[in-house]
């Protein structure tokens, strides 16, 4: 479903700043943490280190942004074409 307008306003005023503060504090501690936890493992820099299975290109499809503008999410369940 959708959120009421007051819910969006409340979350953007209180929850979002609180979450950002927590994320900022965690980011400050990350370099020290990473030195102790597998410091040379950086799959975001070195894709060959990735432990995730490769996704076959045949399973990918192009999706254009203009096709996403009028999506009606009120129906609930997803349907496959």
């Amino acid at each position: 479903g959708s959120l009421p307008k007051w819910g969006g306003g409340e979350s953007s005023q209180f929850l979002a700043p609180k979450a950002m503060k927590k994320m900022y504090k965690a980011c400050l501690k990350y370099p020290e943490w990473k030195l102790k936890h597998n410091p040379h493992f950086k799959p975001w820099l070195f894709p060959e280190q990735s432990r995730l299975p490769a996704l076959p290109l045949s399973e990918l499809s192009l999706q254009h942004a203009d096709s996403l503008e009028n999506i009606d999410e009120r129906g609930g369940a997803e349907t496959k074409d």
Side-chain angles (χ1 to χ4, degrees):
S2 60
L3 291 173
K5 288 184 181 180
W6 64 265
E10 290 288 317
S11 65
S12 64
Q13 275 187 320
F14 300 107
L15 296 178
K18 191 173 183 179
M20 293 305 295
K21 283 180 186 178
K22 284 185 177 186
M23 191 179 301
Y24 174 75
K25 287 181 180 181
C27 289
L28 290 177
K29 296 176 184 177
Y30 179 77
E32 183 182 341
W33 178 89
K34 186 62 178 165
L35 284 174
K36 297 176 186 175
H37 297 86
N38 214 354
H40 301 293
F41 181 66
K42 298 177 183 176
W44 57 92
L45 291 177
F46 309 108
E48 64 276 6
Q49 293 179 345
S50 178
R51 298 176 184 154
L52 297 172
L55 183 64
L57 292 177
S58 61
E59 292 185 23
L60 300 177
S61 64
L62 288 178
Q63 194 169 22
H64 298 280
D66 57 346
S67 69
L68 302 174
E69 290 179 6
N70 298 316
I71 294 176
D72 183 5
E73 297 178 347
R74 293 175 292 179
E78 291 184 13
T79 60
K80 291 193 176 195
D81 294 334

